Amino acid sequence: MSIAAAALAAALGLAACDQFATGRDLPPPPGPPAPPSPDLPMTAAKARLIMGTLSNTCMELATLKYDMHACEQKQGKPASDEALRTELRDLRWNLDKLTADEASAQCAATTNELRKTPKPRACW
């Protein structure tokens, strides 16, 4: 009796695998979790919080982006905290899709480009 039950279970299992292999497509793997969305107004610490567990290079980029944002505010230019938060969250979302080395390299390249921008006297 137990041999018959085992054979039946094996047959059903194989039938299920066969249907699975020929029937439906596999669902896509889940994407990275949504980055944090800290309360406004933005600060350098909140900018780094959005970067989460990414490399120090990416933390440096987030800090630099915040510093540039704060510099614009000091000069009386329109600078939206919400826009900065969205930009950093989008950046984090895209970096999470890369390997750690690729993300760090991209952050380093972007940081180097941003550092070429002269810092206005009012922001020193």
Side-chain angles (χ1 to χ4, degrees):
M1 182 80 163
S2 65
I3 293 175
L8 179 63
L12 291 174
L14 288 174
C17 287
D18 188 44
Q19 287 175 350
F20 184 72
T22 59
R24 309 178 301 244
D25 290 335
L26 289 174
S37 189
D39 292 334
L40 299 176
M42 287 296 293
T43 63
K46 290 177 182 179
R48 289 187 296 272
L49 174 70
I50 292 172
M51 290 294 114
T53 59
L54 293 175
S55 69
N56 287 338
T57 309
C58 294
M59 295 294 182
E60 181 181 0
L61 175 59
T63 303
L64 179 59
K65 282 189 169 284
Y66 172 77
D67 289 345
M68 293 175 80
H69 169 78
C71 180
E72 288 180 357
Q73 288 178 327
K74 283 182 184 176
Q75 297 175 73
K77 294 180 181 177
S80 166
D81 282 354
E82 188 171 351
L84 174 64
R85 179 177 65 185
T86 300
E87 177 186 358
L88 291 173
R89 291 183 82 237
D90 290 348
L91 176 64
R92 164 74 186 277
W93 181 264
N94 291 323
L95 291 172
D96 277 342
K97 296 175 185 175
L98 304 174
T99 67
D101 289 341
E102 291 170 336
S104 186
Q106 185 172 332
C107 288
T110 304
T111 299
N112 289 337
E113 280 302 309
L114 290 176
R115 289 207 183 278
K116 291 178 184 177
T117 306
K119 191 173 190 178
R121 185 182 220 47
C123 300
W124 285 97

